[in-house]
Amino acid sequence: MDILNKVRNYREEENQLKWEGTFEEFLAIVKERPEVAQTAHARVYSMIKNAGLNEQENKKQFTFFQNEIFGLEESLERLVEEYFHPAARRLDVRKRILLLMGPVSGGKSTIVTLLKRGFEQYSRTDEGAVYAIKGCPMHEDPLHLIPQHLREDFYDEYGIRIEGSLSPLNSMRLEKEYGGRVEDVIVERIFFSEDKRVGIGTFTPSDPKSQDIADLTGSIDFSTIAEYGSESDPRAYRFDGELNKANRGMMEFQEMLKLDEKFLWHLLSLTQEGNFKAGRFALISADELIVAHTNETEYRSFIANKKNEALHSRIIVMPIPYNLKVSQEERIYEKMIRESDMTHVHIAPHALRAAAIFSVLTRLEIPKKTGIDLVKKMRLYDGENVEGFNDIDVEELKKESQNEGMNGIDPRYVINRISSAIIRKEIPSINALDVLRSLKEGLDQHASISDEDKEKYLNYIAIARKEYDEIAKKEVQKAFVYSYEESAITLMNNYLDNVEAFCNKNKMRDPLTGEEMNPDEKLMRSIEEQIGISENAKKAFREEILIRLSAYARKGKRFEYNSHERLREAIQKKLFADLKDVVKITTSAKTPDEAHLKKVNEVVARLIDEHGYNSTSANELLKYVGSLLNR
Ligand SMILES: Nc1ncnc2c1ncn2[C@@H]1O[C@H](COP(=O)(O)OP(=O)(O)O)[C@@H](O)[C@H]1O
Ligand SMILES: [Mg+2]
């Protein structure tokens, strides 16, 4: 029932938002809130801007796109700042078709859909309200009713420039229905809706031979010609083409460059002059944002064709490359999985990361700079710290590969491979290795991959696996060390006692026999070696620890086993090295002894409770890490 309530609420809300009045009353609204008279382009821009802006470290992120589009901040910023913003200010770019160009499944359609859905919502808000001449199939802008010769006066009074002239249909209605009395014309508030064909249109090319221009610009309604006596009576015309319906809002052209030229010319006149030709009428003014999308190959061949030359200058191309950040790629997959029928499947931690590493690697260009390899570049792009490199290096890397992200593996391929991995497994639980295996197998079936690329891609899968191995080992290590917390503390105290004795040149006392003995050099070294402290550096390290220890003592603070970052790491590694044997035994022996089993169960529980595993994936992880350690 909840959903029906929501449906009802929505309808009620819409009823409340409805408004109808005379043109005179409408002008009062315009006076008070001039934004109701904004152009389609200005409306898109204000929609995006009003949603908010996140500015961090001089990187802009538009809230409008934030939870839907991942990793394309720079492209989106460019789209907004180089197209929507100047277009909103009526600069010349507005007169060009916006063409999103990018590789398949790179998010172009998603961006357009977001704009459409956003528009639908926005037209229901105060700032985004849209008004139209009531009963007009094109939801004509009521301000067109102001006669041309008075528009300067209107500007003086209202500060608003009116573009476009009253359509043939509304001119006739003004005469016939309102006796020419502009102030009486009924105006209503409209709400954009793609379903209801208000302010949002979509055009998809079909067979060029059968595709009719009427799909775009409407057609004569033969059944009413008799009634109105003539084909040129606008009432005998159905203004129901996509361009008509999209007036005031936006129009999406899918696969625009596949369209027949005659269609393109209509678009050009529309964008350039703000009007288009329909039937036998004078030009019809329309105000709409035209967004098209295409891939790079299609665009190149379009450009290469001399016949299209005139069209080039009237298109503004915005590249939408693939995302190049591993962590954002993971979010893309998470979103796609949420939207799929795989939601019941347990996806082990890091499985998506492994896939993301692979995908991003296929999209990156090999850096020219020396001292940096692809993996480092990948990390830098994702905002990780890589020793020896800074932000300036990242900028340089980007600069040397301006066309990056136009090739490589697309997110859909990855999702398809994940879903086939799921189908193959009996239990609905998959891990990183399942995913990588499936990605690898899929390369053979991937039609558009050359042998050369395949070779490269296999190598990237190997890299992704290596990265995953490290993550897996660390994860198990962390979980193990936790359940060995006590041992960690004992080990540290032991180490500290020895270090103290070493630095102060004291002897230690055997706790059992009370005998004097030298500090246990072997024990200390076994810990220090874990973090690569050389024989020469050991003294300095021990002194550093001691200083930290006394600093803590002075402040009355307790020195914990994680009070010194590197020492903590060393202790954990040492413990883990000791534990390797435990893992090996537990994961390979047929009957592990009870104490081992207990520890392992604790670790599994820890992985499940704290790290997002389920019992299948936790056990798989342990087994895998065990096998890694056995190598
Ligand atoms: N950068 C991205 N952010 C969010 N989702 C993305 C991104 N790139 C691709 N996708 C997802 O991939 C799928 C294909 O994207 P789509 O918009 O249809 O691509 P295109 O139109 O460029 O071929 C969609 O499910 C989309 O959500
Ligand atoms: Mg698409």
Side-chain angles (χ1 to χ4, degrees):
M1 266 339 246
D2 205 31
I3 191 68
L4 288 182
N5 270 335
K6 283 184 184 157
V7 171
R8 255 178 246 126
N9 284 345
Y10 193 77
R11 202 168 50 225
E12 248 163 54
E13 185 191 289
E14 190 160 299
N15 278 334
Q16 268 165 19
L17 291 176
K18 272 189 184 151
W19 181 90
E20 193 176 303
T22 61
F23 182 63
E24 190 172 353
E25 287 162 333
F26 169 68
L27 281 185
I29 296 180
V30 175
K31 187 123 228 175
E32 205 181 311
R33 295 189 289 125
E35 70 270 14
V36 302
Q38 46 188 348
T39 61
H41 286 87
R43 197 165 266 122
V44 181
Y45 179 64
S46 70
M47 163 175 84
I48 296 171
K49 209 180 57 162
N50 287 352
L53 188 66
N54 252 339
E55 237 164 324
Q56 280 171 344
E57 293 162 23
N58 61 47
K59 285 203 175 74
K60 278 188 191 171
Q61 189 169 32
F62 293 99
T63 314
F64 183 81
F65 297 106
Q66 194 162 281
N67 295 321
E68 298 291 333
I69 306 287
F70 305 118
L72 298 185
E73 293 78 17
E74 281 159 43
S75 305
L76 292 171
E77 184 180 342
R78 201 170 150 197
L79 175 64
V80 176
E81 293 306 337
E82 289 180 26
Y83 185 76
F84 290 133
H85 191 181
R89 299 171 56 202
R90 305 194 189 215
L91 295 178
D92 203 56
V93 282
R94 177 167 70 115
K95 299 191 167 169
R96 299 208 241 156
I97 295 174
L98 173 61
L99 180 62
L100 306 180
M101 186 211 20
V104 61
S105 292
K108 302 182 294 299
S109 300
T110 310
I111 292 172
V112 177
T113 306
L114 213 56
L115 292 172
K116 286 178 174 177
R117 296 294 88 81
F119 240 173
E120 291 174 346
Q121 284 304 316
Y122 196 52
S123 69
R124 300 167 74 96
T125 66
D126 287 347
E127 316 87 74
V130 193
Y131 294 82
I133 295 178
K134 190 174 180 186
C136 170
M138 283 183 65
H139 347 283
E140 182 160 19
D141 184 350
L143 294 182
H144 286 179
L145 289 163
I146 304 281
Q148 294 286 353
H149 68 275
L150 293 178
R151 293 208 175 163
E152 271 307 314
D153 296 336
F154 182 81
Y155 179 74
D156 292 341
E157 199 178 329
Y158 287 80
I160 294 170
R161 289 234 175 267
I162 304 172
E163 290 173 36
S165 36
L166 196 62
S167 69
L169 178 64
N170 286 323
S171 300
M172 178 174 256
R173 288 178 60 207
L174 176 61
E175 287 317 312
K176 299 222 151 129
E177 292 171 30
Y178 297 101
R181 294 174 51 84
V182 164
E183 60 275 31
D184 290 346
V185 173
I186 300 295
V187 172
E188 64 176 350
R189 181 167 176 188
I190 58 167
F191 304 97
F192 289 154
S193 158
E194 182 160 30
D195 293 342
K196 295 183 184 154
R197 303 188 74 215
V198 179
I200 296 175
T202 305
F203 192 80
T204 320
S206 55
D207 176 12
K209 283 188 204 72
S210 64
Q211 189 136 45
D212 191 345
I213 201 81
D215 297 347
L216 272 185
T217 60
S219 57
I220 291 172
D221 184 352
F222 288 101
S223 65
T224 54
I225 293 181
E227 188 183 334
Y228 297 116
S230 151
E231 266 185 39
S232 51
D233 189 308
R235 289 168 302 178
Y237 194 87
R238 279 204 306 257
F239 294 91
D240 64 353
E242 291 299 322
L243 286 180
N244 307 113
K245 292 297 171 188
N247 186 30
R248 313 297 301 286
M250 65 180 281
M251 167 87 193
E252 175 189 13
F253 270 85
Q254 298 179 339
E255 318 269 357
M256 185 183 81
L257 301 181
K258 290 203 176 84
L259 272 179
D260 199 81
E261 269 167 77
K262 69 172 188 264
F263 289 82
L264 289 180
W265 284 110
H266 272 278
L267 291 186
L268 287 179
S269 130
L270 175 56
T271 50
Q272 194 72 7
E273 325 294 345
N275 54 39
F276 64 92
K277 185 95 179 111
R280 302 188 168 188
F281 311 111
L283 292 164
I284 294 176
S285 303
D287 169 32
E288 51 202 81
L289 161 73
I290 297 190
V291 195
H293 35 100
T294 186
N295 62 44
E296 199 176 11
T297 324
E298 228 157 32
Y299 179 68
R300 299 267 166 250
S301 72
F302 172 79
I303 294 265
N305 186 345
K306 271 253 177 277
K307 260 175 34 191
N308 294 327
E309 218 158 86
L311 296 168
H312 297 176
S313 59
R314 306 201 186 167
I315 291 176
I316 183 157
V317 180
M318 282 289 156
I320 306 292
Y322 286 136
N323 155 56
L324 299 176
K325 298 183 184 125
V326 173
S327 56
Q328 300 299 314
E329 189 71 9
E330 278 185 86
R331 297 181 70 192
I332 297 179
Y333 302 156
E334 280 162 12
K335 182 189 78 168
M336 290 172 84
I337 288 169
R338 258 201 317 277
E339 290 167 355
S340 73
D341 53 3
M342 298 190 266
T343 40
H344 64 290
V345 178
H346 169 75
I347 296 184
H350 316 300
L352 299 182
R353 184 164 193 90
I357 290 173
F358 164 67
S359 308
V360 169
L361 286 173
T362 67
R363 299 168 187 170
L364 293 179
E365 281 174 20
I366 313 265
K368 298 185 187 86
K369 222 174 147 87
T370 47
I372 184 158
D373 59 15
L374 210 57
V375 173
K376 279 188 188 151
K377 181 175 181 178
M378 172 187 87
R379 291 194 209 289
L380 284 169
Y381 272 20
D382 203 14
E384 284 182 45
N385 285 325
V386 177
E387 211 169 305
F389 297 94
N390 56 28
D391 287 355
I392 298 168
D393 297 308
V394 180
E395 286 314 309
E396 265 175 34
L397 283 170
K398 284 183 184 163
K399 224 175 254 153
E400 71 173 30
S401 310
Q402 303 239 353
N403 212 16
E404 205 166 31
M406 286 297 183
N407 295 298
I409 287 290
D410 63 283
R412 248 198 201 117
Y413 171 77
V414 173
I415 295 301
N416 289 342
R417 293 317 301 170
I418 290 177
S419 85
S420 61
I422 288 166
I423 291 165
R424 207 132 16 102
K425 251 186 142 181
E426 278 138 38
I427 353 161
S429 168
I430 64 162
N431 61 38
L433 295 171
D434 297 325
V435 172
L436 288 177
R437 197 179 307 117
S438 183
L439 284 171
K440 188 171 167 185
E441 285 165 8
L443 292 181
D444 287 327
Q445 303 155 21
H446 203 304
S448 62
I449 298 182
S450 68
D451 282 352
E452 194 194 331
D453 278 346
K454 202 176 137 188
E455 189 98 348
K456 267 201 304 197
Y457 289 3
L458 288 174
N459 181 35
Y460 295 151
I461 289 180
I463 296 178
R465 182 195 177 151
K466 241 196 263 153
E467 294 284 307
Y468 171 69
D469 288 354
E470 285 311 306
I471 298 173
K473 275 194 268 185
K474 275 206 195 105
E475 187 109 297
V476 172
Q477 181 176 329
K478 250 196 313 195
F480 255 107
V481 167
Y482 176 80
S483 56
Y484 278 86
E485 180 108 45
E486 263 170 53
S487 334
I489 293 168
T490 316
L491 186 60
M492 184 198 68
N493 285 336
N494 208 345
Y495 177 75
L496 291 181
D497 289 345
N498 280 285
V499 164
E500 213 167 1
F502 170 86
C503 293
N504 298 333
K505 302 200 168 58
N506 286 343
K507 294 270 180 204
M508 311 258 310
R509 213 168 271 286
D510 186 296
L512 202 63
T513 61
E515 250 176 290
E516 284 209 330
M517 53 181 206
N518 285 324
D520 187 345
E521 190 59 29
K522 214 172 137 210
L523 173 87
M524 287 186 287
R525 287 307 289 147
S526 73
I527 290 171
E528 290 153 2
E529 277 161 3
Q530 300 295 333
I531 49 170
I533 288 172
S534 68
E535 193 60 35
N536 287 335
K538 73 179 184 192
K539 188 158 173 279
F541 182 74
R542 289 172 193 177
E543 281 164 3
E544 180 191 321
I545 297 284
L546 203 62
I547 291 170
R548 177 76 58 94
L549 198 62
S550 40
Y552 267 68
R554 233 185 2 255
K555 288 183 211 147
K557 277 204 314 193
R558 253 171 74 118
F559 190 87
E560 310 269 355
Y561 105 95
N562 47 14
S563 297
H564 187 283
E565 179 59 25
R566 296 192 67 212
L567 179 61
R568 181 192 58 76
E569 190 188 335
I571 298 269
Q572 285 190 346
K573 281 196 167 152
K574 169 73 173 99
L575 265 180
F576 190 59
D578 296 347
L579 290 168
K580 269 184 191 174
D581 301 326
V582 180
V583 186
K584 279 191 222 166
I585 294 165
T586 343
T587 53
S588 59
K590 281 173 197 77
T591 44
D593 77 47
E594 216 164 284
H596 283 162
L597 204 58
K598 188 167 163 277
K599 282 289 176 210
V600 168
N601 285 340
E602 273 174 35
V603 172
V604 168
R606 175 94 187 154
L607 286 171
I608 295 172
D609 294 345
E610 303 280 324
H611 298 275
Y613 289 81
N614 69 5
S615 76
T616 310
S617 63
N619 280 297
E620 284 170 346
L621 175 74
L622 278 187
K623 202 171 233 154
Y624 180 61
V625 171
S627 78
L628 285 179
L629 297 177
N630 265 326
R631 281 194 192 144

